[in-house]
Amino acid sequence: MNSIKLTVKRLYKLSGERMVNAQATAHVYVGEKRVVTEEITGMTESPVSKFLHHTEAQGQPVRVEWECDGIADMAVVEVQVCPCCQHNELE
């Protein structure tokens, strides 16, 4: 099983002059195949990461696309060793 680190760099919407919780849907792709869809709710201006797993071939390009009712910025990167489950891709 391969792992991807999804990082939500910021997520919020504006209500007047205040930042409030927002909702986003992240679609994570390996190559051209969508491997996971994540629903994200909350508010952050500091990066928050989550590790996702998939069974597609390792070494393909990874990307994230999202829909959001506010302001969002996200990134993905393939990881070799998942820190949450210690699964090592090289073994």
Side-chain angles (χ1 to χ4, degrees):
M1 186 176 302
N2 299 314
S3 301
I4 294 172
K5 179 180 175 183
L6 168 65
T7 302
V8 178
K9 297 178 181 179
R10 62 184 168 164
L11 176 65
Y12 60 89
K13 64 182 174 183
L14 297 173
S15 177
E17 294 184 20
R18 292 186 37 194
M19 293 184 346
V20 296
N21 289 349
Q23 183 171 349
T25 302
H27 305 284
V28 179
Y29 294 83
V30 174
E32 293 302 313
K33 183 174 182 182
R34 183 169 58 189
V35 295
V36 68
T37 298
E38 286 287 316
E39 296 292 331
I40 306 160
T41 302
M43 179 179 69
T44 186
E45 282 193 293
S46 301
V48 178
S49 296
K50 178 177 186 175
F51 292 88
L52 310 168
H53 306 289
H54 66 90
T55 57
E56 297 302 307
Q58 189 175 356
Q60 296 186 67
V62 295
R63 74 179 197 282
V64 61
E65 297 176 0
W66 61 87
E67 303 156 17
C68 180
D69 67 352
I71 298 166
D73 187 14
M74 301 181 201
V76 289
V77 64
E78 186 175 45
V79 294
Q80 296 298 312
V81 178
C82 178
C84 65
C85 62
Q86 303 301 311
H87 179 75
N88 187 335
E89 312 307 332
L90 302 175
E91 292 179 348

